[in-house]
Amino acid sequence: MKRIAIIGCGGAGKTVLANRLAALLNLPVINLDAIYYDENWREKTTDEFAAIQRKMVTADRWIIDGNHASTLHIRAKRADTVIFLDLPVRTCLWGVLQRRWRYRGGQHPHGVYDRITLSFIRYVIGYRKTMRPRVATIVREHGQHTQCVTLTSRTQTERFLQRLGAH
């Protein structure tokens, strides 16, 4: 595992997993939210965001965490591993609340900007119904060569990390 794309719903633990994997595998981490927004938290255009990712994925080693389905095909084509955190809604909502409690909103040290809005909560609640099929299709179509790992609980994620740490 040298090029890892971590995807999943908000609050699933993508950034936490990315940082833990980076420590285990000695890989650099790129958080998509950190590059999607400028210093004033304005969104980049889709073309700008895609161009940055096309350049990033040419590197030999990386972990990129973030969903951003509109550009997932770029990461899936180059990744050797896609990790999909497919956690239940309640787990993701709890993750969102824990993040808010930990960082008190605003900018996080890892580039994530914590903003809880009604539309974000709706997104989290509807993720498995609306986004999961879309994400699965993108990975299937563009990442045929990748190892796909789907983790459906925090316990599975911990076991996955433990197995990697043992090797």
Side-chain angles (χ1 to χ4, degrees), residues 61-81:
R61 300 167 38 87
W62 44 260
I63 298 172
I64 301 176
D65 91 83
N67 215 38
H68 296 277
S70 65
T71 56
L72 175 56
H73 65 283
I74 295 167
R75 301 182 305 281
K77 283 179 186 175
R78 182 82 171 116
D80 59 34
T81 306

Side-chain angles (χ1 to χ4, degrees), residues 67-158:
N67 215 38
H68 296 277
S70 65
T71 56
L72 175 56
H73 65 283
I74 295 167
R75 301 182 305 281
K77 283 179 186 175
R78 182 82 171 116
D80 59 34
T81 306
V82 173
I83 301 173
F84 181 26
L85 294 178
D86 188 18
L87 279 62
V89 171
R90 67 183 176 281
T91 304
C92 294
L93 289 172
W94 180 244
V96 168
L97 290 173
Q98 286 179 309
R99 183 170 60 205
R100 172 52 65 97
W101 177 256
R102 186 177 307 120
Y103 297 108
R104 304 284 194 256
Q107 175 77 33
H108 299 202
H110 304 295
V112 177
Y113 187 70
D114 188 16
R115 59 195 182 288
I116 299 175
T117 63
L118 185 55
S119 65
F120 179 67
I121 297 298
R122 283 188 194 126
Y123 168 79
V124 171
I125 291 169
Y127 184 88
R128 285 183 125 186
K129 183 178 180 182
T130 59
M131 287 303 294
R132 177 171 52 176
R134 181 175 172 203
V135 166
T137 299
I138 293 167
V139 171
R140 190 172 47 255
E141 290 176 355
H142 298 280
Q144 302 94 337
H145 62 284
T146 65
Q147 171 189 356
C148 294
V149 177
T150 300
L151 303 170
T152 59
S153 70
R154 300 262 190 246
T155 302
Q156 274 189 351
T157 302
E158 283 302 318

